[in-house]
Amino acid sequence: MEKELKIPDATIERVALYLRPLENLLKEGAQVVSSEQLADLCNVNPAQVRKDLSFFGEFGVRGVGYEVSDLLREIKKILASDRVWRLGIFGLDDMGMALVQHKDFLKRGYRFVAAFDYDPEKIGKCLPTGLVIQPVSMIRELTRELRIEIGVITTSPSEAQKTADLIFQAGIMAVLNFSPIHLRKPECCLVQNVDFTLNLDHMAYQLKKHGQ
Amino acid sequence: MEKELKIPDATIERVALYLRPLENLLKEGAQVVSSEQLADLCNVNPAQVRKDLSFFGEFGVRGVGYEVSDLLREIKKILASDRVWRLGIFGLDDMGMALVQHKDFLKRGYRFVAAFDYDPEKIGKCLPTGLVIQPVSMIRELTRELRIEIGVITTSPSEAQKTADLIFQAGIMAVLNFSPIHLRKPECCLVQNVDFTLNLDHMAYQLKKHGQ
DNA sequence: GCCTGTGAATCCATTCACAGCT
DNA sequence: AGCTGTGAATGGATTCACAGGC
């Protein structure tokens, strides 16, 4: 019974979380997993797991649990991570370089197909992955040619907004933003921000609170 | 009227978010900011800003707004980011190297004071920041000596859990985990996970949903 | 007996709307 | 008049608890 009605954001986020332990279970040869096992592995509540999954259909068998490979396939279909998404990166300082070469992206279905920078020194250089760094001015042509779907911004903060503007103008609808500024964007486009220092701030707060 | 009762997690996260635009406002010379302005800069609701801040006291002036430098100081005090926190990093592959050199950390009060790796090839090498890579076996001594307060894990996934165990044993109470696995931890300790691919999964889902 | 699927109950977070101060 | 501080109202998300099927 597929229900296409109002799936909570929080559910989407958790469902993505379930993917990783499920892959491990599959590798370990587990056939079946219960909501309780999966919940433990992600530390969430078992009822939460069941409710999350029930938004998308009835994948389990009562009295038994969920078939691991089934569930994995279904979740990937739900999240559209049953295919490879094509990324372009903007800004190849240390962080950008580390990301482009990071193997987890490809493992999870995200492939860098283009790399851009403003610095004439960097343009034309070949990355270990084989990508050649392109000038940002080439964004329109290359977005079309290479079918870039998501932009990753690792430029300096001062260049981040103008880079985002160019990305959206080029027809790319989604941006993963590593610069610590709030990007303006068209209504229809998506931005996700990554800021590790927010995580640190949160821990610092708790460390202080608990540590007397 | 300080209230020390039950501050929501979501509030802490947003208050950390307010810090960045406030610093910009200060730099731009703004004296005063209203909840509406601040809300726009972080895109949240103005009432949310006021309620968040009211958990910690009454920082504003009715009919006027919040004094920027005051508010900044207060928030930093609340978050314990009015001082430098000392980090140790574990695993100096590309990502680890990029993080250690990333200037945003120090700008926000987080300073890498030690770097550890398992690889004998890497141990003894000097980073551009001046840090020398230490063997993980030195963790106990160096944690005490350098007063490491937070561990950052960028090892391979297969080494992540054992590294976390060593970190907690050494008396470090908080870990920022970049490896895509769920770490077991003692009750009293804190872990925050960073996984960019979760952000990408979320956007992939929405791109697919909207793009027909 | 066991574990899923789900309405109902609970809990938490956000927003509204206005009293209160400057 | 203007903007904060906050109780009350709303809206979501989580958890409970049990009916339903293997």
Side-chain angles (χ1 to χ4, degrees):
Chain A
M1 189 226 301
E2 289 260 346
K3 305 167 201 164
E4 281 308 333
L5 268 137
K6 272 290 140 198
I7 290 152
D9 253 27
T11 289
I12 298 296
E13 246 135 55
R14 272 191 306 270
V15 167
L17 209 61
Y18 302 157
L19 227 42
R20 284 141 194 74
L22 279 174
E23 278 171 356
N24 290 337
L25 285 169
L26 190 71
K27 234 179 290 170
E28 290 162 14
Q31 301 281 316
V32 170
V33 65
S34 70
S35 60
E36 191 166 353
Q37 289 172 321
L38 191 50
D40 281 352
L41 291 168
C42 302
N43 61 346
V44 300
N45 182 298
Q48 184 106 79
V49 171
R50 298 200 296 278
K51 176 140 289 199
D52 282 341
L53 296 177
S54 78
F55 279 109
F56 302 101
E58 303 196 3
F59 303 132
V61 179
R62 288 165 198 228
V64 180
Y66 301 88
E67 223 257 291
V68 175
S69 63
D70 254 27
L71 187 55
L72 200 47
R73 190 175 35 254
E74 289 294 345
I75 292 184
K76 283 190 173 190
K77 204 160 64 182
I78 290 162
L79 292 176
S81 94
D82 54 349
R83 65 139 163 131
V84 173
W85 289 84
R86 303 169 69 86
L87 313 185
I89 191 163
F90 297 79
L92 290 141
D93 57 349
D94 291 329
M95 184 59 69
M97 292 292 277
L99 290 174
V100 166
Q101 288 164 253
H102 200 53
K103 290 162 222 80
D104 280 9
F105 285 102
L106 197 48
K107 235 180 274 172
R108 306 232 73 82
Y110 299 97
R111 178 160 157 218
F112 287 100
V113 296
F116 299 88
D117 206 296
Y118 291 99
D119 181 357
E121 290 284 307
K122 287 186 183 150
I123 290 163
K125 288 234 171 100
C126 185
L127 303 177
T129 62
L131 284 184
V132 175
I133 302 180
Q134 304 288 341
V136 178
S137 57
M138 288 289 286
I139 184 170
R140 274 201 111 88
E141 295 86 316
L142 289 172
T143 296
R144 204 156 20 86
E145 189 179 318
L146 299 169
R147 307 194 312 280
I148 304 170
E149 296 165 301
I150 300 174
V152 177
I153 295 182
T154 43
T155 63
S156 68
S158 60
E159 293 168 326
Q161 183 62 63
K162 102 179 146 182
T163 305
D165 294 341
L166 291 168
I167 288 174
F168 297 133
Q169 276 163 34
I172 298 169
M173 305 289 282
V175 161
L176 186 64
N177 174 37
F178 284 81
S179 79
I181 67 160
H182 179 250
L183 296 178
R184 299 195 137 277
K185 67 169 185 75
E187 186 76 35
C188 58
C189 294
L190 306 167
V191 171
Q192 289 262 325
N193 296 297
V194 177
D195 186 345
F196 327 129
T197 63
L198 291 176
N199 294 285
L200 289 170
D201 287 347
H202 196 92
M203 287 201 294
Y205 170 79
Q206 304 215 74
L207 282 174
K208 180 188 163 190
K209 199 179 57 170
H210 256 81
Q212 102 193 222
Chain B
M1 189 223 302
E2 290 260 346
K3 305 164 199 168
E4 280 309 331
L5 268 138
K6 273 292 141 196
I7 290 152
D9 255 25
T11 289
I12 298 298
E13 247 133 55
R14 272 191 304 270
V15 167
L17 209 60
Y18 302 156
L19 226 43
R20 284 142 193 74
L22 279 173
E23 278 171 356
N24 290 336
L25 285 169
L26 190 70
K27 233 179 291 168
E28 291 162 13
Q31 302 282 317
V32 170
V33 65
S34 71
S35 59
E36 191 166 354
Q37 289 172 322
L38 191 49
D40 281 351
L41 292 168
C42 302
N43 62 343
V44 299
N45 181 298
Q48 184 106 80
V49 171
R50 296 199 298 277
K51 176 141 287 197
D52 283 341
L53 295 177
S54 77
F55 278 109
F56 303 101
E58 304 196 4
F59 303 133
V61 180
R62 291 167 196 224
V64 179
Y66 301 89
E67 222 257 290
V68 175
S69 63
D70 253 26
L71 187 55
L72 200 48
R73 190 177 33 255
E74 289 295 343
I75 292 183
K76 283 191 171 189
K77 203 160 66 183
I78 290 162
L79 291 175
S81 94
D82 55 348
R83 64 139 164 132
V84 173
W85 289 85
R86 303 169 69 87
L87 313 183
I89 191 162
F90 297 80
L92 290 140
D93 57 348
D94 292 330
M95 184 59 69
M97 292 290 276
L99 290 175
V100 166
Q101 288 164 251
H102 201 52
K103 289 161 222 82
D104 280 8
F105 284 102
L106 196 48
K107 235 181 274 175
R108 306 231 71 82
Y110 299 98
R111 174 157 160 220
F112 287 101
V113 296
F116 300 88
D117 206 296
Y118 292 100
D119 182 357
E121 289 284 306
K122 287 186 183 150
I123 290 162
K125 288 232 172 99
C126 185
L127 303 178
T129 61
L131 284 184
V132 175
I133 301 180
Q134 304 288 342
V136 178
S137 57
M138 288 290 285
I139 184 170
R140 274 200 112 86
E141 295 85 317
L142 289 173
T143 296
R144 204 157 19 87
E145 189 179 318
L146 299 169
R147 306 192 313 282
I148 304 171
E149 295 165 300
I150 301 175
V152 177
I153 295 184
T154 44
T155 64
S156 68
S158 60
E159 293 169 326
Q161 183 63 62
K162 103 179 146 184
T163 305
D165 293 342
L166 290 169
I167 288 173
F168 297 132
Q169 277 163 36
I172 297 169
M173 304 290 280
V175 161
L176 186 64
N177 174 37
F178 283 80
S179 80
I181 67 161
H182 179 248
L183 297 176
R184 299 195 137 278
K185 65 167 188 76
E187 186 76 36
C188 59
C189 294
L190 306 168
V191 171
Q192 289 261 325
N193 296 297
V194 177
D195 185 346
F196 328 129
T197 63
L198 291 175
N199 294 285
L200 288 170
D201 286 348
H202 196 91
M203 287 202 292
Y205 170 79
Q206 304 215 74
L207 282 175
K208 179 189 163 190
K209 200 180 55 169
H210 257 81
Q212 104 196 216

